[in-house]
């Protein structure tokens, strides 16, 4: 053990030295200058103070009141249109997988309190349905919708049309084939057997290829950028682009990590998919959309810098808190617990920026579907992350580990945070691509209330069930079967919540299809900037 | 920040560091851990059963990792066994430690429930031996025949849980799964215990 600790100390020392050098370098090269100006790069000249909210009904629009402003706004229209084919294919696929994934989720949930339900065939057994749900929503819905939103935002962030669209389209096709083959393999019982890594490694190559193809247009566009400052969102996107292939490759290399080491790699990967893949996508999107809709730059650009680097540093080492009390070295678990608690730093900095920017404008969530979804998603990011830090503490973990509590927490993160932000992003993006309004405002509202009430029931019931289950499991005097029986009403409530969420998804998908088939009212020409007051500018 | 390369290199560097501490170092340390002499390698049939266990997702409800009694005494008191050590998993590709205890821990199920017939009845219909359980039945691991052949393993379900007429025989897959479950017996002494004390907090 001693050499290990010595090695850890040396690494920590090297890390702090490198950190110090980087800090000195960044100050000497003026990396921190013009902070608030950098926060304004998402606005065209004169746009600040005007809301951009394509999903709102209000038809009055700001199209620029000077020549420069008009040119900038026409340029943005060109940027939006440049990404159209790529974004549409990624988003449409994502929406399809959302429907499939949530259907399997609901099925798994029902099977949990009704074990005889569809129990006769191996194709529908719980142990195959559950991983199909997870993989469909993680690699199908979340990843694809995230990539779609990134492809849309990148030309805007770099202020240049998207280059290399065919790569992104081909990437989407390969990625979809990967999801189909992967889910099929799980259904056939060919799972790799590790949570979050169930897809056989032979199929994983398709994701590596699809993802790499998708990186080409991002890098090509980045190389032609016309902005001086890289806005916060682009840091997260660029970093996620580096992280995901790296993680996915190491974790999926077959036959390298046996037994207990395999478990550490498994959870190092699984939590990094959350922390270094979907979280940066979600936060990056929120960092763009919240200030854009409010027409007000984020309140502290410097803070966002701290938030980004501390996320990178701490989130990458939290994974082993999934094995607290497990058969692995104690120092390793402790390291992850420390980092999990340190995660409160990036979470709080992001919270200050997101919610601080919203401060005083909370009324806007009443009228803007995008803002409502995105801000609630951002709020749930704060909630789920702080909850996660607490759950990593040994005293809490001893109760919550191995229970439904963890499942509730995972859905607070993947659904109430990430999926809400993705819903909001899609409501923002689609009108820009199709030049149509969303056909029915009421359907957006219905979608919102169904999924919001659904996830609330889901979270509250499973959190309660998990906590009670955890306490009871610690006390061997309570027979196991009694604990199982005790959780059943909560599991039924979870199915109810899940059912509402699936209903919400059906509403959303129908609306999305109508939007794709161009059934909405035409927007008023290139109506790109909208203002709250009926300000007429020509 | 203005430099794309700085962001991407910085991000890669940090992840590299995390890989070093969370992947490489544990790998080096745990590879050096002694394998308990009492650990038996899996037989061909047990390995096949292990694949059936994976294919049907048993690990989504059952863990295989009793915790240290000084941390969570319930694990020992429920009879799930001594805390597991890295060496116990030396033959496991992939690990099946699990993260849920919707059902009980199975690290020592072979010792706790050594009856082959009990497992067969339980897999065909958990209600027959565990009324009120929410474990799904695995009827697809069995076959319903008129008359069992000489080499078939017949399962005698207690009424009313059986198929009624004819005979119930177990498939090769089902038999392998039971063999794997029975092999889950880690009651031998373990040479090392990684969790000496739980007092970091």
């Amino acid at each position: 053990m001693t050499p290990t600790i010595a090695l850890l100390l040396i690494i920590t020392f090297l890390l702090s030295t490198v950190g110090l050098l980087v800090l000195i370098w960044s100050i000497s090269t003026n990396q921190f200058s013009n902070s608030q100006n950098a926060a304004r790069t998402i606005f065209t000249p004169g746009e600040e103070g005007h809301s951009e909210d394509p999903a709102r009904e209000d038809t009055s629009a700001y199209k620029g009141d000077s020549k420069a402003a008009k040119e900038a706004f026409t340029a943005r229209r060109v940027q939006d249109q440049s990404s159209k084919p790529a974004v549409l294919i990624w988003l449409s696929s994502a929406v399809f997988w959302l429907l499939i994934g949530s259907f399997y989720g609901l099925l798994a949930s029902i099977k949990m309190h009704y074990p005889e339900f569809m129990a006769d065939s191996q194709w529908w057994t719980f142990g195959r349905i559950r991983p199909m749900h997870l993989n469909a929503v993680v690699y199908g819905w979340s990843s694809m919708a995230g990539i779609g939103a990134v492809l849309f935002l990148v030309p805007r962030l770099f202020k240049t049309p998207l280059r290399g669209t065919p790569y992104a389209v081909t990437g989407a096709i390969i990625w979809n084939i990967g999801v189909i083959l992967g889910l099929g393999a799980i259904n056939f019982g060919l799972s790799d057997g590790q949570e979050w890594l169930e897809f056989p490694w032979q199929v994983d190559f398709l994701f590596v290829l699809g993802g790499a193809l998708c990186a080409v247009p991002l890098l090509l566009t980045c190389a032609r950028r016309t902005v001086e400052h890289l806005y916060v969102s682009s840091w997260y996107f660029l970093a996620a682009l580096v992280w995901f292939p790296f993680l996915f490759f190491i974790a999926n290399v077959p036959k390298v990590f046996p037994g207990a080491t395999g478990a550490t790699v498994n959870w190092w990967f699984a939590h990094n998919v959350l922390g270094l893949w979907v979280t940066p996508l979600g936060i990056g999107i929120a960092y763009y959309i919240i200030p854009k809709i409010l027409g007000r730059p984020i309140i502290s650009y410097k803070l966002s810098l701290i938030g980004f680097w501390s996320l990178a540093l701490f989130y990458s080492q939290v994974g082993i808190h999934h094995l607290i009390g497990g058969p692995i070295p104690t120092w390793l678990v402790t390291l992850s617990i420390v980092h999990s608690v340190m995660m409160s730093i990036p979470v709080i900095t992001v919270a200050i920026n997101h919610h601080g920017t919203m401060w005083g404008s909370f009324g806007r969530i009443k009228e803007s579907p995008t803002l409502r979804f995105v801000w609630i998603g951002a709020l749930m990011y704060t909630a789920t992350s702080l909850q996660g830090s607490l759950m990593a503490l040994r005293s809490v973990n001893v109760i919550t580990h191995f229970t439904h509590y963890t499942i509730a927490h995972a859905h607070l993160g993947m659904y109430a945070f990430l999926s809400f932000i993705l819903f909001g992003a899609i409501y923002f993006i689609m009108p820009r691509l199709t030049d149509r309004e969303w056909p029915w405002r009421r359907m957006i509202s219905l979608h919102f209330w169904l999924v919001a009430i659904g996830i609330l029931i889901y979270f509250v019931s499973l959190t309660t069930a998990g906590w009670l289950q955890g306490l009871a499991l610690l006390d061997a005097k309570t027979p196991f079967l009694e604990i199982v029986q005790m959780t059943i009403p909560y599991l039924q409530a979870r199915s109810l919540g899940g059912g509402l969420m699936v209903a919400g998804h059906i509403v959303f998908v129908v609306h999305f299809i109508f939007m794709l088939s161009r059934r909405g009212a035409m927007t008023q020409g290139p109506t790109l900037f909208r203002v709250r007051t009926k300000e007429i500018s020509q | 920040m203005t430099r794309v390369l700085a962001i991407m290199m910085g991000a890669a560097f940090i992840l590299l560091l995390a890989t070093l501490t969370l992947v490489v170092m544990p790998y080096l340390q745990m590879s050096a851990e002694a394998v308990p002499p009492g650990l038996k390698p899996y037989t061909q049939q047990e390995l096949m059963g292990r694949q059936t266990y994976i294919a049907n997702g048993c690990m989504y409800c059952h863990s295989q990792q009793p915790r240290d009694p000084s941390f969570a005494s319930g694990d020992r008191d429920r009879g799930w066994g001594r805390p597991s050590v890295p060496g116990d998993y030396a033959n496991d590709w992939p690990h099946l430690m699990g993260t849920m205890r919707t059902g009980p821990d199975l690290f020592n199920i072979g010792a706790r429930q050594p009856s082959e017939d009990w497992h067969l009845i339980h897999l065909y219909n958990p209600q027959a031996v565990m009324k009120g359980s929410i474990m799904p039945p695995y009827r697809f691991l069995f076959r319903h025949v008129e008359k069992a052949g000489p080499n078939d393993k017949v399962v005698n379900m207690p009424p009313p849980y059986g198929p009624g007429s004819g005979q119930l025989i177990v498939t090769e897959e089902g038999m392998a799964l039971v063999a794997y479950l029975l092999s889950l017996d880690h009651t031998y002494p373990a040479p090392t215990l990684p969790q000496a004390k739980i007092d970091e907090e």
Side-chain angles (χ1 to χ4, degrees), chain A residues 161-433:
Chain A
L162 188 75
R163 309 299 205 288
T165 307
Y167 292 101
V169 173
T170 318
I173 294 168
I174 294 177
W175 191 287
N176 274 319
I177 295 174
V179 179
I180 294 169
L181 291 180
L183 294 181
I186 297 175
N187 209 185
F188 273 85
L190 299 172
S191 152
D192 264 357
Q194 299 193 73
E195 274 182 74
W196 296 80
L197 293 167
E198 283 97 345
F199 286 169
W201 61 268
Q202 294 89 339
V203 173
D204 292 330
F205 282 114
L206 294 174
F207 292 93
V208 175
L209 186 62
L213 282 171
C214 204
V216 175
L218 298 187
L219 293 176
L220 285 178
T221 311
C222 185
R224 305 284 184 84
R225 66 187 182 278
T226 63
V227 282
E228 192 197 340
H229 291 286
L230 295 172
Y231 183 67
V232 203
S233 304
S234 24
W235 317 337
Y236 283 105
F237 298 159
L238 287 168
L241 185 70
V242 176
W243 287 328
F244 186 67
F246 191 112
L247 289 167
F248 197 74
F249 181 77
I250 292 184
N252 277 304
V253 179
K255 297 281 172 202
V256 174
F257 305 108
T261 318
T264 60
V265 177
N266 184 182
W267 287 107
W268 168 78
F269 169 80
H271 215 103
N272 279 347
V273 168
L274 301 172
L276 301 182
W277 174 237
V278 297
T279 300
L281 297 182
I283 302 182
I285 295 168
Y287 257 124
Y288 183 86
I289 287 183
I290 293 177
K292 207 71 181 63
I293 289 187
L294 295 177
R296 180 197 303 159
I298 52 167
I299 57 168
S300 170
Y301 197 75
K302 278 181 187 158
L303 211 51
S304 61
L305 201 72
I306 297 173
F308 172 76
W309 287 112
S310 54
L311 174 121
L313 199 58
F314 301 134
Y315 227 147
S316 55
Q317 312 208 20
V318 304
I320 314 303
H321 65 211
H322 286 271
L323 293 165
I324 296 176
I328 51 166
T330 319
W331 66 263
L332 189 59
V333 173
T334 307
L335 183 72
S336 272
I337 295 176
V338 170
H339 282 279
S340 306
V341 175
M342 293 301 276
M343 264 306 291
S344 44
I345 294 175
V347 169
I348 290 168
T349 53
V350 169
I352 292 174
N353 250 334
H354 285 169
H355 312 316
T357 307
M358 279 293 289
W359 199 258
S361 310
F362 292 115
R364 296 285 290 280
I365 63 171
K366 275 190 233 157
E367 50 177 28
S368 166
T370 305
L371 193 63
R372 195 190 290 176
F373 273 111
V374 172
W375 178 68
I376 289 181
L379 189 66
M380 290 304 130
Y381 171 67
T382 314
T384 192
S385 301
L386 295 178
Q387 187 198 20
S389 295
L390 287 176
M391 285 167 72
L393 298 175
R394 283 198 168 91
S395 48
V396 180
N397 189 273
V398 73
I399 298 170
T400 61
H401 197 192
F402 300 124
T403 70
H404 298 301
Y405 192 95
T406 314
I407 311 297
H409 169 68
H411 283 78
L412 189 64
M414 284 301 284
Y415 198 82
F417 153 49
L418 185 73
S419 299
F420 266 50
I421 287 186
L422 293 174
F423 288 140
I426 291 174
Y427 281 126
F428 184 92
I429 293 170
M430 289 302 285
R432 280 287 172 272
L433 297 183

Side-chain angles (χ1 to χ4, degrees), chain A residues 96-145:
Chain A
F96 171 74
W97 291 118
L98 171 71
L99 208 56
I100 300 286
S102 48
F103 164 73
Y104 277 113
L106 182 59
L107 216 58
S109 173
I110 294 171
K111 283 168 151 300
M112 224 158 179
H113 52 80
Y114 183 19
E116 279 292 332
F117 180 62
M118 298 173 82
D120 280 324
S121 119
Q122 68 264 45
W123 315 117
W124 298 101
T125 191
F126 174 82
R128 295 188 188 187
I129 297 303
R130 181 199 182 278
M132 286 174 77
H133 160 65
L134 183 135
N135 285 284
V137 295
V138 171
Y139 300 110
W141 155 243
S142 309
S143 298
M144 294 198 81

Side-chain angles (χ1 to χ4, degrees), chain B:
Chain B
M1 283 190 286
T2 54
R3 279 153 219 243
V4 173
L5 210 61
I7 295 174
M8 296 177 80
M9 293 300 286
F13 172 75
I14 288 176
L15 187 59
L16 201 65
L17 189 91
T19 314
L20 207 64
T21 51
L22 265 66
V23 175
V24 179
M25 280 175 36
Y27 178 71
L28 294 178
Q29 193 189 348
M30 286 195 268
S31 311
E33 283 278 333
V35 176
L39 178 72
K40 285 198 283 288
Y42 295 114
T43 64
Q44 210 54 40
Q45 190 192 28
E46 286 160 5
L47 278 177
M48 181 185 166
R50 201 167 191 274
Q51 283 309 317
T52 309
Y53 187 96
I54 293 173
N56 296 299
C58 305
M59 61 282 187
Y60 298 112
C61 290
H62 295 282
S63 59
Q64 292 187 15
Q65 45 165 327
R67 292 173 291 180
D68 194 289
S70 65
F71 178 55
S73 58
D75 290 16
R76 175 199 55 199
D77 299 346
R78 289 185 184 279
W80 292 344
R82 64 163 171 82
S84 56
V85 297
D88 291 328
Y89 303 92
N91 302 327
D92 289 5
W93 302 82
H95 80 96
L96 297 173
M97 289 185 195
T99 49
M100 279 294 276
R101 285 181 176 164
T102 308
D105 190 275
L106 297 182
F107 194 59
N108 284 303
I109 187 64
R112 213 161 62 234
Q113 205 58 264
S115 156
E116 192 178 81
D117 290 326
W118 185 91
H119 281 290
L120 288 170
I121 294 172
H122 185 240
L123 284 172
Y124 183 77
N125 190 343
Q127 305 296 328
V129 282
M130 201 60 75
K131 187 84 192 143
S133 161
I134 55 171
M135 177 163 139
Y138 292 89
R139 287 191 283 269
F140 52 84
L141 296 176
F142 297 82
R143 268 205 325 270
H144 184 206
V145 291
E146 277 307 314
K147 183 94 184 74
N151 297 324
D152 289 336
K153 167 79 186 168
V154 179
V155 185
N156 293 310
M157 289 299 292
Y161 298 102
S165 63
Q167 279 181 307
L168 192 66
I169 58 169
V170 61
T171 60
E172 195 190 354
E173 252 193 316
M175 211 54 226
L177 177 60
V178 172
Y180 171 65
L181 290 173
L182 291 176
S183 80
L184 290 175
D185 178 351
H186 299 89
T187 46
Y188 54 79
T192 55
L193 289 176
Q195 322 273 345
K197 276 199 199 85
I198 308 293
D199 54 6
E200 273 82 6
E201 274 158 41

